[in-house]
Amino acid sequence: MARGVVAVTHDPDDIGEGFWVVVLTFEGCFTAVRMGEVVQDPGARAERGGRNGWTPVGDRWRTSLDRVAYETAVEEIRERIASGTV
């Protein structure tokens, strides 16, 4: 669990030490949030190899959706939220 926002940036060069939560949207908007406290759940167990159960991606990441499919899915989710089904 991570809590206590310490810093927010939209510049990847600002990322330094600490635990950062990073989001990069399909449109290319970058946001990183540095958290002040990180506590590992003692009940959690690593399902796969790697640090803390995370298996690093061996190849460059790529999306499974093209831009039109992504935007269509986003619009559907927005509609579901507006109608109260999500």
Side-chain angles (χ1 to χ4, degrees), residues 43-61:
R45 67 184 184 97
E47 293 292 327
R48 302 185 323 189
R51 189 173 139 224
N52 298 325
W54 175 261
T55 301
V57 177
D59 197 5
R60 185 179 164 122
W61 181 88

Side-chain angles (χ1 to χ4, degrees), residues 12-74:
D13 291 333
D14 290 343
I15 294 180
E17 297 203 16
F19 182 89
W20 290 83
V21 177
V22 177
V23 177
L24 182 61
T25 68
F26 188 84
E27 296 82 9
C29 297
F30 176 88
T31 301
V33 180
R34 186 171 147 223
M35 308 305 290
E37 180 182 0
V38 179
V39 178
Q40 183 160 348
D41 180 354
R45 67 184 184 97
E47 293 292 327
R48 302 185 323 189
R51 189 173 139 224
N52 298 325
W54 175 261
T55 301
V57 177
D59 197 5
R60 185 179 164 122
W61 181 88
R62 61 191 167 277
T63 183
S64 58
L65 301 174
D66 64 20
R67 184 179 193 103
V68 172
Y70 170 81
E71 290 174 349
T72 300
V74 168

Side-chain angles (χ1 to χ4, degrees), residues 1-21:
M1 175 180 62
R3 63 180 169 205
V5 174
V6 175
V8 177
T9 185
H10 300 286
D11 183 352
D13 291 333
D14 290 343
I15 294 180
E17 297 203 16
F19 182 89
W20 290 83
V21 177

Side-chain angles (χ1 to χ4, degrees), residues 70-86:
Y70 170 81
E71 290 174 349
T72 300
V74 168
E75 186 56 36
E76 179 181 343
I77 292 167
R78 287 179 177 158
E79 289 172 6
R80 288 183 182 193
I81 291 169
S83 69
T85 61
V86 172

